[in-house]
Amino acid sequence: MCGIVGYVGNKEAQRILLSGLRRLEYRGYDSAGIITAGRNGETLLREKGKVAELDKKVAESEHNDIIGIGHTRWATHGEPSERNAHPHHVGDIYLVHNGIIENYQDLKEVLADRGYEFASETDTEVFTALIDSIYQAQDKKDLHQAVVDSLQMVIGAYGIAVMAKGNLDEIVVARKGSPLVVGVGEEEVFIASDPSALVGHTDQVVYLRDDEVATCSKDGVHLTDATATKVDTVVEKLELDIQAIQKKGYDHFLLKEIFEQPETLRSTLNGRVLKEQDLLRLGGLNMTDDELREVKNVFIIGCGTAYYAGMLASYFIEQFTDDVVIHNAIASELRYRSFNVPENSVALFVSQSGETADTLACLQEMKRRGVKCLGIVNAVGSSIAREVDGGVYVHVGAEISVASTKAFTSQAVAMLLFGLVIAQAKGMSLKELRPYIAELDILPDEIQSTLNSQNEPIKTLAKKYAHYEHALYVGRDSLFPVALEGALKLKEISYIQSEGYAAGELKHGPIALIDDKFFEMAFVSDNWLYEKTMSNIIEMKARGGHIITVTNSEKAIGTEEVVRVDTKLELLAPLIFNVASQLFAYYVAVERGNDVDQPRNLAKSVTVE
Ligand code: M6R
């Protein structure tokens, strides 16, 4: 959560920082601030609300400064307010921080005894005072060393950028559990918690690793470990272009990302599904065929949409494996359970951002237990991607909207590929494999034709249901995770209270909810469970339900509304139903006038537990 930016060079720092913050705003949008410095001293500007509010303040106080740091906040300690906004300033030190300092109360008491007073409720202000107290005690001012010394005393997670009063040459950055990347240009350096803020400035980047500290100046990046011992700097090429982070004519990033799915899915499949050769290839797994053959248990771990993608993938994989048990786990639960890991297990960590704190914590625990860990990750170079033994990048490009859509589709498919690769190693014949390859081959086109045919009808449908305050989403078998994901999508962007249920569970409680304030979304597949699900629909109808049925069946349905999705797919049909459900959530949220890309109280990557 939270976005950090920094700049040191010869250009106007204020404008560079503001444009970086706008790109990072999806990480948090409770308040924003920048501190810049030049020949006339420092200017600290902070404002509650979005970056646009800060922008107005900057317009009234423009400075030709050449160094600065900035922050857009998702509140943890202390309400969203100007007082609690970053950068924090204590003594000679300015600090922006992403993460949580767990022992800040203890440090606060020590620092209060030394005469420090605190204006905010934040852990970050305490951290700032700590660095200042060390800095003030130095005979020869050394900001890098002051940061290194302070890090010995804090417990918790951080990505930080630090400036000192009167020092126009350096920004010191450090990370532990919260991403930071430094872009290196010609006599200038850019700092960001996400590489999207660097696009258009430079493609030469240095990803900080945990426990590294860097001094950034016009001369470049000077990197050390947590004991101030020099570390080699590895400069990598950033593969992200400006197109990928623009709306390209769509009203919202969310709609753009829904519509990108045929193309992003092709990127996921590219080079991995070789139809002509009847071959599947996953280069990054780093597992031999013998190791794949040994696999008996697959843990699939993630949060939110990534968790639901894992659940959907487990329904897929169970169709063609008979000696593999799949264990789906919510990362924020698993990390505090005393769970057992059987022999011959691998663990998949599913994450768009690759930074989700709970998923990362599970990864570290599984590694400690010696389990083979694989990532199903989108963000290249992210923490999870770096810590796993191997994995599958989903390659969907930047997903800017807080609500995850294109990542879900590609995560489910990437895990299906992993399941098929295991099955192949265990002896799945070509004849058995071909139908799956054939489905994967037509999936992008099928998604495209669903988008083309359903966009307008679903837009109209959404207008009719946008005034409801409650919704039930139901489905059976592999449409159950689609119901869960559909309900999550609707609630997070429309604020309609929506719950996903297994259709067969309705009679065990949820059916009591049905009244005129509710509508129900039922997913019905034209397969062996058709009659069973229709019985559930009839039961809801008998109780006055306002039911929208999404189905690939041509039979008469008889509910208030029916969305017909036309698909030849069998195994992968749920992904088509899900696209219809994404469009519905999007248009309901638009109809309700919500901030679709940046829903209230949320942030794109959840780097706090
Ligand atoms: O970056 P991750 O995939 O690890 O994020 C996991 C969840 O935070 C994320 O899917 C969240 O639930 C989305 N807002 C759902 O749209």
Side-chain angles (χ1 to χ4, degrees):
M1 334 285 251
C2 307
I4 289 177
V5 291
Y7 175 76
V8 51
N10 298 312
K11 297 185 187 138
E12 270 184 44
Q14 282 186 326
R15 287 288 135 202
I16 291 173
L17 296 178
L18 277 175
S19 97
L21 288 180
R22 269 192 291 274
R23 296 225 189 123
L24 297 187
E25 200 169 23
Y26 71 91
R27 299 179 69 95
Y29 30 86
D30 291 335
S31 60
I34 56 173
I35 152 77
T36 55
R39 256 178 280 137
N40 298 323
E42 290 84 21
T43 306
L44 174 62
L45 299 169
R46 303 187 297 181
E47 194 57 276
K48 183 180 170 190
K50 296 197 166 190
V51 176
E53 300 306 315
L54 177 66
D55 208 338
K56 288 181 206 153
K57 222 172 189 175
V58 172
E60 291 160 11
S61 168
E62 287 215 39
H63 285 76
N64 219 352
D65 292 341
I66 40 102
I67 183 169
I69 54 179
H71 189 267
T72 175
R73 177 170 186 248
W74 187 84
T76 53
H77 293 81
E79 55 170 20
S81 65
E82 186 183 337
R83 188 167 55 96
N84 289 331
H86 301 212
H88 282 277
H89 174 210
V90 179
D92 282 347
I93 298 298
Y94 297 93
L95 173 70
V96 291
H97 168 219
N98 184 7
I100 291 179
I101 302 306
E102 289 164 17
N103 60 336
Y104 82 104
Q105 287 291 8
D106 295 345
L107 293 169
K108 196 171 188 175
E109 280 170 29
V110 174
L111 290 160
D113 287 347
R114 290 186 202 160
Y116 280 95
E117 287 175 6
F118 297 93
S120 78
E121 300 139 41
T122 65
D123 52 342
T124 305
E125 191 184 17
V126 175
F127 200 170
T128 317
L130 176 66
I131 300 172
D132 184 67
S133 71
I134 296 167
Y135 190 70
Q136 299 299 346
Q138 290 174 332
D139 291 334
K140 191 165 172 288
K141 297 292 172 235
D142 183 340
L143 185 58
H144 190 106
Q145 191 61 49
V147 171
V148 165
D149 292 346
S150 74
L151 298 182
Q152 311 297 323
M153 299 167 74
V154 297
I155 300 170
Y158 50 80
I160 54 170
V162 192
M163 278 173 57
K165 201 173 176 52
N167 183 343
L168 294 182
D169 299 324
E170 296 169 340
I171 299 169
V172 176
V173 295
R175 81 159 266 178
K176 183 179 204 147
S178 189
L180 270 182
V181 55
V182 181
V184 187
E186 201 62 47
E187 285 205 6
E188 59 185 355
V189 163
F190 304 82
I191 296 154
S193 42
D194 177 323
S196 62
L198 306 180
V199 175
H201 293 302
T202 178
D203 62 359
Q204 299 296 298
V205 297
V206 178
Y207 291 96
L208 254 71
R209 287 168 295 201
D210 274 351
D211 296 315
E212 286 183 344
V213 184
T215 293
C216 307
S217 68
K218 281 197 268 186
D219 299 332
V221 189
H222 168 75
L223 207 60
T224 75
D225 65 14
T227 62
T229 308
K230 189 175 182 311
V231 171
D232 285 342
T233 308
V234 182
V235 182
E236 297 179 39
K237 187 161 176 1
L238 178 63
E239 308 284 353
L240 195 63
D241 65 24
I242 198 90
Q243 287 283 326
I245 55 171
Q246 289 174 341
K247 284 190 202 150
K248 290 196 202 153
Y250 286 93
D251 287 345
H252 297 98
F253 279 109
L254 184 56
L255 190 62
K256 173 192 165 222
E257 287 159 9
I258 291 172
F259 269 83
E260 274 176 346
Q261 288 176 105
E263 186 191 326
T264 51
L265 190 54
R266 284 191 190 99
S267 307
T268 310
L269 297 172
N270 194 17
R272 291 166 171 164
V273 180
L274 308 173
K275 192 178 168 223
E276 307 309 317
Q277 298 157 50
D278 287 322
L279 198 69
L280 290 180
R281 196 168 52 197
L282 290 179
L285 289 185
N286 300 331
M287 289 178 80
T288 63
D289 272 0
D290 281 343
E291 285 173 319
L292 289 165
R293 253 188 296 280
E294 295 279 293
V295 173
K296 295 266 188 294
N297 294 277
V298 179
F299 283 79
I300 306 186
I301 300 159
C303 293
T305 286
Y307 168 70
Y308 294 143
M311 219 173 140
L312 178 57
S314 64
Y315 279 87
F316 292 162
I317 297 169
E318 281 162 6
Q319 299 287 309
F320 51 78
T321 51
D322 49 18
D323 70 337
V324 176
V325 182
I326 312 219
H327 311 263
N328 291 102
I330 298 172
S332 56
E333 282 296 309
L334 186 73
R335 68 178 292 190
Y336 299 113
R337 274 167 52 193
S338 53
F339 58 97
N340 298 318
V341 183
E343 296 257 299
N344 302 323
S345 291
V346 296
L348 303 186
F349 298 89
V350 192
S351 178
Q352 187 286 128
S353 63
E355 300 294 348
T356 300
D358 289 317
T359 310
L360 192 55
C362 291
L363 164 58
Q364 283 152 357
E365 175 58 18
M366 286 291 194
K367 277 179 84 171
R368 196 186 64 75
R369 296 186 189 205
V371 179
K372 182 90 178 174
C373 292
L374 302 173
I376 306 292
V377 170
N378 185 38
V380 176
S382 56
S383 301
I384 293 175
R386 280 163 186 272
E387 290 203 24
V388 286
D389 302 310
V392 188
Y393 274 123
V394 295
H395 292 314
V396 300
E399 195 183 62
I400 308 273
S401 179
V402 166
S404 185
T405 50
K406 59 180 180 174
F408 174 88
T409 301
S410 284
Q411 285 162 347
V413 165
M415 286 181 268
L416 165 64
L417 294 182
F418 176 67
L420 286 169
V421 165
I422 292 183
Q424 259 186 312
K426 286 175 184 276
M428 181 186 246
S429 69
L430 271 186
K431 191 167 164 245
E432 289 166 313
L433 179 65
R434 273 186 199 131
Y436 300 113
I437 294 193
E439 287 218 3
L440 287 165
D441 192 46
I442 60 170
L443 181 61
D445 288 343
E446 289 242 350
I447 291 179
Q448 187 64 63
S449 71
T450 306
L451 289 168
N452 296 347
S453 63
Q454 294 301 329
N455 187 44
E456 286 304 321
I458 289 179
K459 192 177 187 173
T460 308
L461 183 72
K463 287 196 172 93
K464 181 173 167 190
Y465 288 88
H467 69 279
Y468 282 90
E469 287 306 326
H470 311 280
L472 260 179
Y473 276 60
V474 296
R476 278 180 184 266
D477 192 59
S478 55
L479 289 175
F480 171 42
V482 171
L484 292 169
E485 168 61 7
L488 173 61
K489 217 81 311 167
L490 187 74
K491 77 175 72 145
E492 73 178 320
I493 58 174
S494 74
Y495 317 144
I496 293 175
Q497 185 230 342
S498 41
E499 305 304 333
Y501 270 95
E505 282 289 291
L506 280 171
K507 288 192 282 292
H508 300 284
I511 204 163
L513 291 169
I514 290 176
D515 65 13
D516 272 345
K517 297 190 203 80
F518 263 83
F519 74 86
E520 299 77 33
M521 173 82 83
F523 299 105
V524 187
S525 209
D526 193 8
N527 62 14
W528 76 104
L529 285 168
Y530 177 83
E531 301 298 342
K532 299 271 177 222
T533 318
M534 280 313 294
S535 305
N536 303 133
I537 288 180
I538 289 162
E539 286 151 13
M540 289 194 290
K541 209 176 150 190
R543 284 150 185 89
H546 299 278
I547 307 165
I548 307 167
T549 305
V550 183
T551 185
N552 55 353
S553 163
E554 286 169 9
K555 294 173 207 150
I557 299 287
T559 54
E560 201 167 275
E561 292 288 343
V562 180
V563 176
R564 304 250 178 212
V565 288
D566 179 24
T567 174
K568 291 186 222 49
L569 296 165
E570 289 180 14
L571 184 80
L572 297 179
L575 291 169
I576 302 294
F577 283 71
N578 188 57
V579 167
S581 170
Q582 292 170 343
L583 286 172
F584 180 77
Y586 169 74
Y587 285 117
V588 169
V590 170
E591 184 64 20
R592 288 167 72 100
N594 291 354
D595 188 341
V596 173
D597 285 331
Q598 294 177 342
R600 67 186 182 204
N601 304 338
L602 292 175
K604 182 67 178 166
S605 62
V606 184
T607 55
V608 292
E609 59 181 281

